Amino acid sequence: MADSYASHFGINNIPYGIASSSKRTAPQCATRIGDDIIFLAELAEYDSFKAISTPLSSIFRETTLNTFAALSKDIQSKVRVAIQEAHKSNLSKKCSESVKDVKLHLPVHIGDFTDYSASVNHVLNASEAVRGIREYPPAFHKYPVGYAGRCSSITVSGAPVRRPLGQFIEDYTVPKNNIIFGPSRGLDYELEVAAVIGKPVESGTYLNAKDADEHIFGLVLLNDWSARDIQGLEMNPLGPFNGKNFMTSITPWIVTLEALKPFEIPAPPRMQPVAEFMDDPKSINYNIQLEGQVLRNGTQSTTCKVGFETMYWTFRHMIAHHTIGGCGLRSGDLVASGTVSGDQKHEHGCLLELTNNGKVPITLSDESELRFLEDGDEVRYIGVVGDGSVGVGFGECVGVVKPARQL
């Protein structure tokens, strides 16, 4: 069996997901400790959970985490402690199955998906790769730039990635810029982290950045698969559409802010003053260490190692900016960071940056060239919190590229 990432799921983690099995055929709420998947509806029948004044057993029988995610932080904290105590007393064993015997599902119903560009290094590297100059988007120093993504094609890690069809410029060096239709030739990954909204934000109200944590249930890893050739044509003059909407992958386990709190670290200082609602005196990121891998012909190559602490804009900033115009947020909404990228080449979180938009290939461990992804390539994205010694991580976000569908 492949690495189960049991070390990511120690008792200090207590993530939440949706699982089913041959014994428990209905998808329902679960957590994970080591290689044990604990089905929470059954666990909630015990007295230690009944003392919590919420109908947890019925909530945990739901097929998504949306209702639980919307509960108060106080209730969620009590549930976390009760799960830890049940595990220590072996009570949870009666409600558990091995990870190899369960199927994991999308953890929440996602009504809306917003993808930001929050990394200084990514916006500069992407600008250089596409236009040959390193410059910031006009608004970048005031707020993170984002776009509304497509939530219907968000899938859980492990789902195959079908190469998209679309229209793109065949050769930018040809004066007539011949536009053709066919399978994308510029398939890329983007290694990201995303926040899952818990407590809703009512439409017509707005948040200050310093108050946004109250509305974040937890974080997942996210791969924003991208067709760079399709995207390059359609983004003049509007934002991404078919170049992005064919597939987005997320990890099945949501790691809560409570589990991440010991790993808060200061965000980079602001380069320019920001609007009052964006000001966050305790602006924080998280010490999440990310690794990207490409597996080709059975050989694994590490293409990226980068820390999430490099991100200039935080989730607090992203959510505050999201709401300032009166846009509400619902439980289960997904807010993604954009590509995580650092100063060094080995810290580049997408091939657009790493290969300069396909113009400068890198050599993989099997001696083949990597410009963009080929059919059969597997992309694996791993996230560990801190140095990994305390048992908090995300597991993997993985997908294998399949050929474009036949017309």
Side-chain angles (χ1 to χ4, degrees):
M1 187 176 74
D3 190 342
S4 67
Y5 301 98
S7 63
H8 291 203
F9 301 101
I11 199 167
N12 294 313
N13 194 340
I14 313 298
Y16 295 99
I18 297 293
S20 63
S21 70
S22 60
K23 295 179 181 178
R24 298 169 173 90
T25 57
Q28 56 192 281
C29 302
T31 189
R32 177 176 176 179
I33 300 178
D35 277 337
D36 290 334
I37 306 302
I38 303 169
F39 289 84
L40 294 173
E42 297 166 37
L43 194 64
E45 295 289 347
Y46 290 98
D47 289 344
S48 56
F49 287 84
K50 290 182 177 179
I52 302 171
S53 57
T54 304
L56 291 172
S57 183
S58 61
I59 289 173
F60 285 143
R61 291 190 189 281
E62 295 180 6
T63 58
T64 73
L65 286 162
N66 290 55
T67 300
F68 180 69
L71 295 177
S72 71
K73 295 283 188 177
D74 179 61
I75 293 293
Q76 291 171 1
S77 184
K78 289 178 180 178
V79 170
R80 172 183 168 84
V81 171
I83 293 170
Q84 290 170 325
E85 292 303 316
H87 177 73
K88 291 175 184 177
S89 66
N90 287 323
L91 195 63
S92 62
K93 287 291 184 183
K94 300 177 182 178
C95 313
S96 301
E97 294 187 48
S98 171
V99 65
K100 64 181 176 59
D101 295 325
V102 304
K103 179 180 179 180
L104 299 175
H105 307 265
L106 274 178
V108 286
H109 171 73
I110 302 166
D112 283 295
F113 166 43
T114 303
D115 196 15
Y116 278 100
S117 188
S119 164
V120 164
N121 299 291
H122 176 63
V123 297
L124 293 177
N125 294 336
S127 173
E128 182 176 29
V130 174
R131 295 182 312 207
I133 52 174
R134 294 177 66 81
E135 66 177 6
Y136 295 100
F140 185 81
H141 292 99
K142 297 300 181 182
Y143 56 80
V145 179
Y147 72 93
R150 180 71 178 172
C151 56
S152 65
S153 51
I154 298 175
T155 63
V156 74
S157 170
V161 185
R162 183 69 64 182
R163 183 178 299 274
L165 297 165
Q167 298 187 66
F168 50 89
I169 294 174
E170 183 176 26
D171 185 351
Y172 279 89
T173 65
V174 176
K176 291 185 179 181
N177 286 340
N178 185 36
I179 296 175
I180 65 170
F181 170 77
S184 170
R185 301 174 184 177
L187 187 58
D188 196 357
Y189 55 81
E190 288 196 349
L191 307 186
E192 307 188 18
V193 178
V196 178
I197 298 300
K199 179 183 176 182
V201 179
E202 185 179 351
S203 296
T205 64
Y206 69 88
L207 284 175
N208 292 306
K210 63 183 178 63
D211 300 321
D213 278 8
E214 186 66 24
H215 298 269
I216 301 175
F217 177 52
L219 306 185
V220 294
L221 303 185
L222 181 145
N223 192 335
D224 183 32
W225 303 92
S226 302
R228 298 302 186 186
D229 42 7
I230 298 171
Q231 179 187 358
L233 180 60
E234 69 190 4
M235 282 189 66
N236 186 9
L238 296 180
F241 189 59
N242 283 342
K244 296 274 193 177
N245 67 10
F246 60 96
M247 180 90 169
T248 303
S249 304
I250 66 171
T251 43
W253 297 109
I254 301 173
V255 178
T256 66
L257 290 198
E258 187 168 3
L260 293 168
K261 189 168 183 56
F263 307 96
E264 294 178 348
I265 53 178
R270 302 303 90 192
M271 293 183 279
Q272 292 183 13
V274 296
E276 184 176 356
F277 79 95
M278 291 286 277
D279 188 37
D280 181 13
K282 296 182 179 180
S283 183
I284 56 101
N285 278 345
Y286 297 98
N287 182 8
I288 304 171
Q289 300 306 306
L290 305 166
E291 180 174 340
Q293 302 168 353
V294 172
L295 287 78
R296 177 179 290 176
N297 300 322
T299 302
Q300 174 184 307
S301 303
T302 296
T303 56
C304 177
K305 285 188 175 183
V306 63
F308 192 68
E309 73 277 0
T310 61
M311 301 299 279
Y312 181 72
W313 294 109
T314 71
F315 283 119
R316 293 178 179 180
H317 293 125
M318 294 178 227
I319 291 169
H321 176 63
H322 202 301
T323 64
I324 193 60
C327 177
L329 288 167
R330 295 172 292 187
S331 300
D333 284 356
L334 201 61
V335 178
S337 66
T339 302
V340 184
S341 204
D343 289 327
Q344 304 300 313
K345 187 170 183 178
H346 74 271
E347 296 177 311
H348 293 175
C350 64
L351 297 178
L352 177 72
E353 298 177 59
L354 187 62
T355 70
N356 196 25
N357 203 20
K359 295 186 286 289
V360 184
I362 66 167
T363 302
L364 296 177
S365 299
D366 69 345
E367 303 301 324
S368 66
E369 282 190 348
L370 175 64
R371 296 177 186 269
F372 289 110
L373 296 173
E374 297 180 359
D375 293 348
D377 286 350
E378 178 178 320
V379 177
R380 183 183 296 149
Y381 180 24
I382 302 163
V384 177
V385 181
D387 63 4
S389 63
V390 293
V392 180
F394 294 83
E396 66 177 11
C397 188
V398 64
V400 177
V401 178
K402 301 298 183 182
R405 68 182 186 276
Q406 297 296 313
L407 292 178

